[in-house]
Amino acid sequence: DLEQAEIVRGTQSSIYGRNTIGGAVNLITRRPGEFAGGNAGLTYGTDGFARANLAFDQPLSQDGKWLSRTALSYTHAPDGIRNIATGEDDLALKALNGRFTVTGEIGDSTNLTFSFDVESVDDRSKGGWAPLALAFKHQSDLDFPARRQDDRVGVMLRVDHDFDGFWFQSTTAFRGFDQDLILDGDFTSGPYNPALGAFALQQGRLQTHRQLTQEFRFGSHLRTVEDAGDVSWSAGLFFLSESFEGTEFYELASGSRN
């Protein structure tokens, strides 16, 4: 549900925050429209690929000062890999995501934007991990029921206010990510003989990531300097709090974890 993408070269840390020394890619989502309406799309491709999306705008007040937009998307994407160990096609990736945005005016000088987004990706494909020789043939040789579950959530609140001599913007954001991954770590289907040094290797990962950011920006109403004596200025403060917990594990076993 993108409206435009901006690609900016060079150091941009003063505008877009940390980690933008070489440039920035700014993805701008669509803002709520002034009138009730929407659009829907359906895409179908080879190997059973399918995607459906729906987006609609809904004014929340009769004077048009409060607007909302909701966007939903569902993707079904088989990996097109034939598992020679089971004789079946590997299972598909299924992704469901959505975003809800509200914009409004508080008085004559203050604008508010609130956004909430969520995504859930269920990937039960075994074919995501295969030896290179088999991968070129769109094949895998796996017997362990691999899976990957990714869950993401985000909340953003932005307040814009115009003072007499300058403008002010406050952006508060939270991002969360959880992953549960397990796969057939030896990339083979057995049978397994410990005497020969062959084991059923299960490999997995559990991780939790949380990020909270707060940004304050100030600037003059004059954005460009055109005449002698003109002064344009901007300043900002950025705060980030981040936590990460992750576990990588390898298990030698021949039984299912279920």
Side-chain angles (χ1 to χ4, degrees):
D1 193 41
L2 288 178
E3 181 174 351
Q4 67 183 53
E6 297 178 347
I7 301 177
V8 187
R9 297 177 60 186
T11 302
Q12 301 297 325
S13 58
S14 61
I15 300 176
Y16 295 105
R18 68 170 196 167
N19 296 336
T20 53
I21 297 176
V25 178
N26 190 18
L27 303 178
I28 302 175
T29 58
R30 294 185 183 274
R31 293 181 61 83
E34 297 180 359
F35 305 99
N39 60 275
L42 180 62
T43 303
Y44 184 80
T46 58
D47 298 323
F49 175 88
R51 173 173 294 162
N53 55 72
L54 172 68
F56 57 91
D57 299 316
Q58 179 61 54
L60 301 178
S61 63
Q62 295 183 352
D63 59 7
K65 291 186 176 181
W66 290 89
L67 308 172
S68 72
R69 180 174 179 85
T70 302
L72 302 170
S73 177
Y74 175 77
T75 301
H76 178 274
D79 62 7
I81 303 297
R82 185 72 171 179
N83 192 338
I84 61 178
T86 62
E88 300 175 350
D89 290 336
D90 288 330
L91 300 178
L93 177 148
K94 299 177 181 179
L96 178 64
N97 59 72
R99 176 184 291 108
F100 177 69
T101 305
V102 174
T103 61
E105 299 179 14
I106 304 176
D108 297 330
S109 303
T110 304
N111 295 323
L112 181 146
T113 301
F114 172 80
S115 177
F116 171 78
D117 64 90
V118 63
E119 179 184 44
S120 179
V121 178
D122 182 10
D123 185 359
R124 296 185 178 273
S125 167
K126 304 183 188 72
W129 305 274
L132 190 59
L134 291 177
F136 279 122
K137 301 177 183 179
H138 298 277
Q139 294 178 338
S140 64
D141 185 18
L142 308 172
D143 61 347
F144 189 78
R147 71 176 187 271
R148 190 191 84 224
Q149 178 71 40
D150 294 346
D151 295 305
R152 297 176 176 87
V153 63
V155 181
M156 187 276 295
L157 176 65
R158 191 180 74 203
V159 179
D160 296 272
H161 184 80
D162 279 332
F163 291 94
D164 292 337
F166 63 94
W167 57 265
F168 166 77
Q169 182 183 90
S170 170
T171 303
T172 306
F174 170 81
R175 304 295 305 177
F177 173 69
D178 295 284
Q179 183 181 76
D180 182 358
L181 179 147
I182 192 167
L183 58 91
D184 192 337
D186 59 2
F187 308 109
T188 62
S189 61
Y192 303 100
N193 186 350
L196 300 178
F199 296 90
L201 177 61
Q202 301 171 10
Q203 179 180 346
R205 179 190 307 128
L206 296 171
Q207 60 175 307
T208 299
H209 185 199
R210 301 289 184 266
Q211 185 181 85
L212 176 66
T213 60
Q214 175 63 58
E215 182 178 12
F216 297 110
R217 297 175 63 190
F218 314 82
S220 60
H221 292 300
L222 182 64
R223 299 299 180 97
T224 59
V225 176
E226 298 178 353
D227 300 320
D230 290 344
V231 176
S232 176
W233 61 272
S234 64
L237 296 172
F238 182 79
F239 168 80
L240 180 143
S241 176
E242 191 171 31
S243 66
F244 175 82
E245 295 181 3
T247 302
E248 296 273 354
F249 62 87
Y250 300 85
E251 296 181 353
L252 297 177
S254 58
S256 172
R257 290 173 58 88
N258 298 327

